[in-house]
Amino acid sequence: MPESAGQERTEKATPKRRERARRKGQVAQSREIPSVLILMTAMGFFYFAGSWMFWSISEVIGGIYQQLDTLRIDVVSDLSVFAAAIFGKVFFILIPFFVPVLIAGLAGNIGQIGFEMHSEPMRPKLSKFNPISGLKKLVSLKSLVELVKSLFKILLVGLIAYGVVKKEITKFPALIQQEVGEILLFIGAVALKIFFFVCLALIILAVLDYIYQRWQYEENLKMTKQEVKDERRQSEGDPKVKGRIRKMQLEMASRRMMEAVPEADVVITNPVHLAVALKFDAVQMMAPKVVAKGAGNIAEKIKEIARENRVPLVEDKPLAQALHKMVEIGEFIPAELYRAVAEVLAYVYRLKGIYQTAF
């Protein structure tokens, strides 16, 4: 049984969990927003170009009836040519309507989650064909919320349509004496009014639904404290493993440092607690460099290797402390220590019987 079993999901989702959810297609998305945008776009199109579309389609239908007397369809190919011509005319009439509606639908979705494409949600899974899982989805809280929301929208649209028609019902008797075109304009005006109020209501519903979807998404992504710990351990590494790696790295660094001690020109000691090995080459170096340093047992090891390789040991407590504190291994000594180190190196060179001008 996993350690997180039985724990409450009280922790916010980590970035890694959010990214994993996005790859699976789990995003905070409201279906109402693209629906409202599509409805508003359609309403705007019919308001500005509805009459053009109506008369264009009327002309196409009128042209068909005018050609009925002269139309000859002897073979199937004649019928296909005639159908293709009609389809082309209708298509060019409808395309100015479908393009903005398509753009509105895409904008409603991309505006919420951005443009992303992941193949994982489209991969075939046997679990998707499990009837038990399908029944669970049908009776889930999410399905219940969607059902209530759909019923509420139907009721809302019905109430709005009823209210608008009720206000316009007094004008119905006068339509008997009007022409067909005037009746159609009246119907179109009432329909646009219904569309307008429905859009206003659905905009409010879409905002509330988006807030709810965001809240539900965050709740579903919440993690237990144990899950957060496990994820942090996976991303940062097991502390025990990191400790072993760190120990190995320190051992390798210490080994390399000890290998550099025989090449040193002098080892400056505390005399007991500290040891700092210096190397200087007047041709290749701008200043003496610390090749090894340490305290306690490491200092004793440095001094032992120095004695075995006949590297001079010089006791200088203040200088040893300053070098150990101020200079890291592989770094050149600072300018304020030049004089003190020069005196030590001069002393060492005299002991060796080598004449070398200190830096």
Side-chain angles (χ1 to χ4, degrees):
M1 182 179 291
E3 296 181 13
S4 60
Q7 295 186 15
E8 293 185 3
R9 297 182 180 275
T10 57
E11 306 302 310
K12 288 185 177 181
T14 60
K16 185 176 180 180
R17 184 178 178 88
R18 293 179 185 276
E19 180 62 26
R20 189 164 57 245
R22 289 184 74 89
R23 288 199 301 268
K24 293 180 179 179
Q26 300 172 3
V27 292
Q29 182 181 14
S30 172
R31 298 178 182 176
E32 304 304 322
I33 292 178
S35 299
V36 170
L37 290 177
I38 289 173
L39 188 62
M40 291 175 62
T41 304
M43 183 183 69
F45 178 84
F46 284 119
Y47 180 80
F48 292 104
S51 59
W52 168 82
M53 176 178 284
F54 173 79
W55 292 116
S56 298
I57 294 177
S58 298
E59 289 179 2
V60 172
I61 296 174
I64 294 173
Y65 281 107
Q66 290 175 3
Q67 296 177 14
L68 287 178
D69 293 337
T70 59
L71 183 63
R72 293 290 182 269
I73 301 177
D74 299 324
V75 294
V76 177
S77 59
D78 294 337
L79 179 61
S80 61
V81 171
F82 176 74
I86 299 300
F87 176 80
K89 292 179 180 179
V90 174
F91 175 79
F92 283 109
I93 294 172
L94 295 179
I95 196 67
F97 169 74
F98 287 123
V99 169
V101 167
L102 177 62
I103 295 174
L106 292 174
N109 287 287
I110 296 175
Q112 294 182 75
I113 61 174
F115 183 79
E116 290 192 17
M117 295 185 65
H118 299 290
S119 59
E120 188 169 345
M122 296 182 288
R123 292 177 184 173
K125 294 182 180 179
L126 294 177
S127 59
K128 294 181 180 179
F129 301 97
N130 189 345
I132 298 177
S133 300
L135 290 174
K136 287 182 179 179
K137 290 181 180 180
L138 288 176
V139 297
S140 63
L141 177 61
K142 184 176 180 180
S143 299
L144 180 61
V145 171
E146 292 296 326
L147 176 62
V148 172
K149 189 170 62 177
S150 299
L151 294 175
F152 179 75
K153 284 195 297 183
I154 294 172
L155 179 63
L156 182 64
V157 172
L159 289 174
I160 292 173
Y162 174 77
V164 173
V165 172
K166 186 178 180 181
K167 287 185 178 181
E168 302 290 339
I169 199 169
T170 56
K171 300 178 182 178
F172 284 6
L175 296 176
I176 299 175
Q177 301 176 355
Q178 294 181 1
E179 299 292 335
V180 175
E182 294 176 343
I183 296 174
L184 291 176
L185 288 175
F186 174 79
I187 294 173
V190 173
L192 283 174
K193 190 177 292 186
I194 294 173
F195 265 79
F196 177 75
F197 287 112
V198 168
C199 283
L200 290 180
L202 291 183
I203 287 173
I204 298 173
L205 182 62
V207 172
L208 295 176
D209 183 64
Y210 181 75
I211 294 173
Y212 170 75
Q213 295 294 341
R214 290 290 306 180
W215 172 81
Q216 187 183 53
Y217 177 74
E218 293 296 333
E219 288 295 314
N220 291 337
L221 284 185
K222 278 187 175 180
M223 307 169 67
T224 64
K225 293 182 178 179
Q226 185 61 42
E227 287 175 337
V228 174
K229 291 180 181 178
D230 293 341
E231 188 169 292
R232 186 180 297 117
R233 186 181 296 116
Q234 291 175 1
S235 59
E236 298 178 358
D238 193 328
K240 294 181 180 180
V241 176
K242 290 176 67 178
R244 288 196 293 269
I245 294 174
R246 177 64 177 168
K247 184 179 179 181
M248 294 174 60
Q249 290 175 341
L250 291 175
E251 290 178 353
M252 293 174 63
S254 177
R255 191 179 303 115
R256 288 194 299 268
M257 181 181 71
M258 295 303 176
E259 291 174 354
V261 173
E263 301 176 0
D265 293 313
V266 63
V267 174
I268 302 174
T269 64
N270 194 19
V272 179
H273 303 293
L274 301 175
V276 180
L278 298 177
K279 179 178 177 60
F280 178 62
D281 187 335
V283 177
Q284 298 181 356
M285 297 182 182
M286 56 182 291
K289 182 169 65 174
V290 174
V291 295
K293 71 173 185 176
N297 294 332
I298 297 177
E300 292 299 324
K301 184 67 175 176
I302 291 174
K303 289 189 286 184
E304 180 183 346
I305 296 175
R307 293 190 190 98
E308 292 176 356
N309 292 273
R310 297 183 179 181
V311 177
L313 299 175
V314 176
E315 180 182 332
D316 191 328
K317 184 175 181 179
L319 182 58
Q321 291 177 344
L323 288 169
H324 189 273
K325 181 179 180 180
M326 298 171 61
V327 189
E328 297 297 327
I329 298 172
E331 293 182 354
F332 296 105
I333 65 171
E336 55 264 34
L337 299 179
Y338 279 3
R339 184 179 181 84
V341 173
E343 293 177 356
V344 171
L345 289 175
Y347 169 73
V348 169
Y349 295 150
R350 284 197 300 270
L351 288 179
K352 290 182 177 180
I354 302 175
Y355 177 79
Q356 182 173 347
T357 303
F359 58 95

